[in-house]
Amino acid sequence: MLEVIVDLNLKDKKVLVIGAGVEATKRIKVLSKQGCQIIILSDSISEALYELDHDLRHPILIIKRKVEDINLFNDFDNIFLVLAATSDSELNEKIVIEAKKRNILSYNITNSLSGDIYFTSMINFDDVIQVSISTSGKSPLMSKLIRDRLEDTIKNIIGQKDIDNIKVQEFARQQVKRYIQDQEQRRKFLYSLIEDDNIQELILKKNIDKVKERIITTLGKWEGSKIE
Ligand SMILES: C[C@@]1(CC(=O)O)C2=NC(=C\c3[nH]c(c(CCC(=O)O)c3CC(=O)O)Cc3[nH]c(c(CC(=O)O)c3CCC(=O)O)/C=C3\N/C(=C\2)[C@@H](CCC(=O)O)[C@]3(C)CC(=O)O)/[C@H]1CCC(=O)O
Ligand SMILES: NC(=O)c1ccc[n+]([C@@H]2O[C@H](COP(=O)([O-])OP(=O)(O)OC[C@H]3O[C@@H](n4cnc5c(N)ncnc54)[C@H](O)[C@@H]3O)[C@@H](O)[C@H]2O)c1
């Protein structure tokens, strides 16, 4: 059985990480790009974590503390996700069991099956596109090797123009949702931007302001548009 890969929105959510060793640090690096509030509890902290703090909107709260039991949950409210990431597998298990009782999403670094989420092998394009590979815990090693192999090839398939088109589509979607009521027309409009040579030329030239102008003009003439 394969688990479903979903794109978890952690924006402004509170994430508690217990343990701050080599493996926890890798997970925290991923989390630090998600706009979430991270609280780390650990009796030793890797140096890299203090450096991470500088480029963040949400400052990471680092508390140097040995966790003895699950009473720690009483010290924090509104936790969305907890990462049991210590080298003490018994403690990790207890944390996950308590998290489940409290309906908090959990992750167990020493026993992936007991938690709710896995981390995947990721290829990231400018924080705009993510390609994720997962074997759902069957073989992280193979995930890494396939990611290495795919990384070289995929750069020939997904390029800067795709990234720019996503940004343009993001803008266009906001506009069509406001001005075109019919879903089929919205879909047609969005496809028309990809097929419009003029717009694609402007995207290549990085003239995004002109692209936006053109989108609004085209939208004004579109069948069923509510733009005056
Ligand atoms: C993708 C990646 C992301 C990341 O690390 O952020 C990741 N593991 C990576 C590498 C890697 N991890 C391990 C090895 C050694 C070889 C081996 O054991 O195979 C290697 C290879 C290496 O190091 O070269 C050891 C290991 N991993 C887990 C356990 C515990 C267990 O099995 O329960 C143990 C045994 C520890 C022990 O023996 O004590 C568990 C998990 N590791 C996962 C993710 C999740 C499943 C993903 C999937 O199945 O696809 C899952 C379930 C949960 C999680 O922790 O997220 C990252 C590659 C990043 C990249 O692309 O470069
Ligand atoms: N999930 C994976 O992908 C994966 C990969 C490799 C290893 N592992 C396993 O994950 C575990 C962690 O590996 P690591 O390399 O990060 O180890 P590590 O020794 O670098 O880090 C362990 C961290 O846990 C903290 N810790 C331990 N007991 C604690 C307690 N009672 N209270 C607070 N903090 C506590 C330590 O201070 C340290 O920061 C190991 O058991 C390892 O076998 C998992």
Side-chain angles (χ1 to χ4, degrees):
M1 193 187 72
L2 263 185
E3 274 73 3
V4 61
I5 299 185
V6 290
D7 200 352
L8 192 61
N9 180 358
L10 290 174
K11 195 161 183 294
D12 300 325
K13 306 258 171 49
K14 203 181 276 181
V15 181
L16 190 60
V17 186
I18 326 286
V22 177
E23 291 301 320
T25 301
K26 288 192 213 161
R27 312 300 185 270
I28 294 165
K29 274 189 183 157
V30 174
L31 293 175
S32 72
K33 290 185 174 180
Q34 308 305 313
C36 55
Q37 188 186 340
I38 303 170
I39 303 169
I40 302 168
L41 279 180
S42 185
D43 56 354
S44 78
I45 315 277
S46 82
E47 276 305 309
L49 286 180
Y50 289 103
E51 279 155 33
L52 249 191
D53 213 352
H54 294 292
D55 16 283
L56 293 173
R57 264 189 309 124
H58 288 269
I60 296 181
L61 180 61
I62 301 176
I63 304 168
K64 201 162 180 197
R65 187 207 292 181
K66 185 172 170 66
V67 173
E68 307 283 0
D69 51 44
I70 42 109
N71 283 332
L72 73 104
F73 281 97
N74 297 327
D75 299 340
F76 306 95
D77 55 6
N78 293 322
I79 301 162
F80 178 77
L81 167 68
V82 62
L83 268 56
T86 75
S87 43
D88 180 341
S89 54
E90 270 177 45
L91 176 64
N92 289 345
E93 202 61 43
K94 281 188 204 157
I95 292 169
V96 165
I97 290 169
E98 183 61 19
K100 285 188 196 297
K101 281 189 193 150
R102 294 172 181 249
N103 285 323
I104 296 168
L105 275 181
S106 65
Y107 165 82
N108 186 343
I109 209 154
T110 41
N111 176 14
S112 51
L113 290 175
S114 80
D116 301 309
I117 64 161
Y118 304 104
F119 281 81
T120 61
S121 231
M122 274 185 291
I123 305 173
N124 185 327
F125 297 83
D126 270 12
D127 288 339
V128 173
I129 311 168
Q130 270 182 31
V131 175
S132 253
I133 300 144
S134 175
T135 68
S136 306
K138 292 179 195 68
S139 173
L141 175 148
M142 284 306 296
S143 280
K144 177 181 154 44
L145 293 184
I146 292 167
R147 197 252 313 143
D148 281 342
R149 218 189 295 156
L150 202 62
E151 214 157 31
D152 296 332
T153 319
I154 209 165
K155 300 263 147 70
N156 299 323
I157 301 170
I158 299 174
Q160 189 58 45
K161 203 172 169 206
D162 297 308
I163 293 169
D164 292 338
N165 261 300
I166 289 171
K167 292 175 184 166
V168 166
Q169 285 280 327
E170 187 183 15
F171 170 79
R173 294 186 85 228
Q174 287 164 359
Q175 304 305 317
V176 284
K177 279 182 183 171
R178 278 171 67 191
Y179 296 116
I180 303 182
Q181 213 147 26
D182 180 50
Q183 202 270 327
E184 189 48 30
Q185 286 301 322
R186 284 203 291 266
R187 202 172 77 92
K188 277 192 178 153
F189 179 81
L190 292 171
Y191 270 106
S192 79
L193 304 178
I194 307 289
E195 285 149 14
D196 185 323
D197 291 342
N198 214 306
I199 285 184
Q200 291 305 315
E201 185 76 26
L202 289 169
I203 289 175
L204 260 185
K205 288 183 184 150
K206 298 262 177 211
N207 202 340
I208 303 301
D209 285 344
K210 259 257 147 15
V211 173
K212 287 183 178 172
E213 239 173 66
R214 212 184 142 95
I215 287 172
I216 301 294
T217 323
T218 318
L219 196 51
K221 296 181 202 147
W222 200 264
E223 189 191 321
S225 162
K226 286 190 291 184
I227 287 190
E228 270 112 54

